Amino acid sequence: MKRNISITLGIMLIAALVIVVCSYPSRKRITVVFRYDDISEISDTVLETKLISAFHSNGMAFTTGVIPFVFNGNQGDPALDQAEAENIPLGSAKIELLTSAVQEGVMEVAMHGYSHQTIPAEGGHREFKGLDYVLQYEKISEGASLLNDRLKTPITTFIPPWNRYDTNTLNILNELGFSVLSADQDGMPMRSSPLLFLPSTCELSDLQKTVINARDSIDPRPIIVTLFHQFDILGNDVNVPQMDFAEFNSLLEWLKVQNDVEVLTLQQALAQDPGLNAHRYAYNWAIRDSKMIPPMLMGLIEPQIYQSPFPLIAIIALFYLGVLLISGLIVFLIGKSMFNISNELIWMARIAVTILLISVVMYAFRGSKVGFRGVTGVAIFIGATIGIWWSSLQITKKHQEQLESS
């Protein structure tokens, strides 16, 4: 018995050490990706030129979401009378700017929707989510053709406007040869999609703090995707700028001297970690949506980092395994002292704890989501059931040996 307990504790200790070693590598590398959305024929070319220059001077590159046929009216309200508005394709001057930046290795171009005009829909802005398959296919294929033809480079990354998409969107992207989707962390998980997923995680104003937090995270290779727009620097009628251009340039200079930080494009980050697939995105989504995480471990979740879910899953599993083991050992020790009274007590305890275990499991899984208390209760009663059966079998065996020896 003591040998079995020692083996169990040893296995748990080894598992804990493996988690610690994996979670805190000697050389943690933090990946930062800048995703600049909404470049179009009507966007601010002066600012874009300054951004390209800033990244170039700091030896960095960024990903930009380009709108092929930008709608020059109110993009967020289709109910308005916008008879004078139209879709404007990307012109030669903007094409030249983008092509030059791509050739210099400063910029990576992604397709940012078709026109960035929302469709009439309940529950927020969207250009594609809820649109039928045929219309989505026509828009995405036409936009991709324009960018591929004029930029003379394959566009394989798609950024849906307002970060919203559906199953049709994913299937069409795969059919048209796209390999990467970058939205946000609240999108729909679809494990069967062959696309790679690298969502945005934080705003520009939070980037420096997020990098500092990433150093203390349990993720051995944390990834931060900071999403920003023209209005985050210049502002507009609705949005207050998060920082001016001088502050943005200072942020790049700060990142440049951080020895543990590497600034990459979306495709470069994915090339380093091809495991950023739909399964990992679904695991991240499930963890962020889960009620099972113990309150004392909630601090391990960093919402502004695209974390690897596996160290966190391992720690959560170890927590509940510890609860189970402690419960089992306590009940085992109590049972060994009590079950010497009578055989009837042994059978009563076995039946009672088994019924209680079934009841607790049924109660914990009664709803659509299992919470922390439910899982803790199940772990406690599984441990208690094992402890009672384990101790009672030991006592029964001892009684049989006494009878045989007498």
Side-chain angles (χ1 to χ4, degrees):
M1 175 59 62
K2 291 182 178 180
R3 183 173 179 272
N4 290 336
I5 294 174
S6 298
I7 291 173
T8 302
L9 290 173
I11 292 173
M12 289 187 66
L13 179 60
I14 292 171
L17 290 173
V18 169
I19 290 170
V20 171
V21 170
C22 292
S23 300
Y24 297 94
S26 58
R27 294 187 62 188
K28 178 178 283 193
R29 296 296 301 170
I30 302 170
T31 297
V32 172
V33 177
F34 282 92
R35 196 186 103 190
Y36 181 67
D37 283 3
D38 295 354
I39 285 187
S40 70
E41 182 58 20
I42 62 174
S43 60
D44 194 306
T45 305
V46 174
L47 175 62
E48 290 153 8
T49 303
K50 291 171 68 176
L51 288 173
I52 292 169
S53 177
F55 278 97
H56 185 271
S57 62
N58 285 285
M60 300 173 181
F62 67 110
T63 298
T64 182
V66 178
I67 307 169
F69 300 92
V70 65
F71 183 68
N72 71 338
N74 189 309
Q75 297 176 352
D77 193 348
L80 295 176
D81 181 9
Q82 304 186 74
E84 302 299 321
E86 59 180 334
N87 292 341
I88 305 176
L90 209 61
S92 57
K94 196 59 67 86
I95 291 290
E96 184 178 348
L97 175 69
L98 297 176
T99 302
S100 175
V102 170
Q103 291 175 347
E104 291 176 1
V106 181
M107 179 188 289
E108 173 185 278
V109 174
M111 178 177 166
H112 189 34
Y114 174 77
S115 65
H116 210 298
Q117 181 186 17
T118 188
I119 60 174
E122 297 292 331
H125 300 139
R126 61 191 74 180
E127 185 177 9
F128 294 99
K129 185 177 181 181
L131 201 62
D132 69 63
Y133 187 94
V134 174
L135 289 176
Q136 286 200 46
Y137 187 95
E138 289 176 354
K139 285 188 170 186
I140 296 174
S141 60
E142 185 179 354
S145 294
L146 181 138
L147 294 180
N148 285 322
D149 292 344
R150 297 195 179 181
L151 294 175
K152 307 301 181 185
T153 183
I155 307 300
T156 57
T157 300
F158 187 81
I159 300 172
W162 295 287
N163 296 311
R164 307 191 76 180
Y165 58 94
D166 58 19
T167 305
N168 284 336
T169 315
L170 298 179
N171 290 332
I172 290 167
L173 292 175
N174 180 52
E175 187 175 347
L176 291 174
F178 285 87
S179 59
V180 178
L181 178 88
S182 181
D184 58 21
Q185 298 192 80
D186 296 324
M188 179 191 61
M190 182 181 175
R191 293 176 184 269
S192 60
S193 175
L195 296 173
L196 298 177
F197 289 72
L198 191 48
S200 64
T201 63
C202 79
E203 295 186 340
L204 201 59
S205 56
D206 296 324
L207 178 56
Q208 189 168 4
K209 178 182 68 177
T210 304
V211 169
I212 294 171
N213 291 340
R215 293 188 172 117
D216 297 324
S217 71
I218 62 171
D219 192 339
R221 295 290 182 266
I223 301 175
I224 303 165
V225 181
T226 182
L227 167 61
F228 69 117
H229 304 79
Q230 174 179 304
F231 55 76
D232 289 319
I233 296 176
L234 299 181
N236 58 23
D237 294 338
V238 179
N239 299 279
V240 176
Q242 296 185 27
M243 61 180 64
D244 59 29
F245 184 78
E247 292 171 319
F248 177 81
N249 197 50
S250 295
L251 177 62
L252 293 185
E253 291 173 350
W254 178 80
L255 287 169
K256 185 178 180 180
V257 299
Q258 306 305 305
N259 294 328
D260 56 350
V261 175
E262 188 174 22
V263 177
L264 303 174
T265 65
L266 284 171
Q267 291 280 1
Q268 288 171 345
L270 290 162
Q272 286 196 358
D273 188 353
L276 296 169
N277 52 28
H279 289 281
R280 171 162 167 175
Y281 181 82
Y283 283 132
N284 272 274
W285 190 91
I287 287 174
R288 295 174 71 246
D289 191 54
S290 176
K291 304 296 183 183
M292 293 173 52
I293 301 174
M296 64 287 298
L297 298 181
M298 289 296 292
L300 298 179
I301 299 177
E302 294 284 352
Q304 294 182 315
I305 299 171
Y306 190 50
Q307 291 181 272
S308 171
F310 305 113
L312 184 58
I313 291 172
I315 291 173
I316 293 171
L318 188 61
F319 172 86
Y320 287 117
L321 181 61
V323 170
L324 185 152
L325 182 61
I326 292 170
S327 171
L329 288 174
I330 291 173
V331 173
F332 171 78
L333 295 174
I334 294 174
K336 285 199 70 174
S337 62
M338 292 183 60
F339 290 154
N340 284 311
I341 299 174
S342 66
N343 288 331
E344 290 78 8
L345 182 61
I346 292 176
W347 281 106
M348 288 176 60
R350 287 176 177 176
I351 294 171
V353 75
T354 303
I355 292 174
L356 282 171
L357 174 60
I358 294 172
S359 301
V360 169
V361 170
M362 291 177 64
Y363 181 79
F365 289 87
R366 71 192 185 284
S368 58
K369 290 185 179 180
V370 185
F372 161 68
R373 292 182 180 180
V375 179
T376 302
V378 170
I380 289 173
F381 276 91
I382 289 177
T385 302
I386 294 173
I388 283 179
W389 279 86
W390 198 354
S391 60
S392 64
L393 289 172
Q394 290 289 316
I395 296 298
T396 302
K397 182 180 179 181
K398 181 179 177 182
H399 288 170
Q400 290 176 344
E401 289 175 350
Q402 289 175 346
L403 287 174
E404 291 173 358
S405 62
S406 62

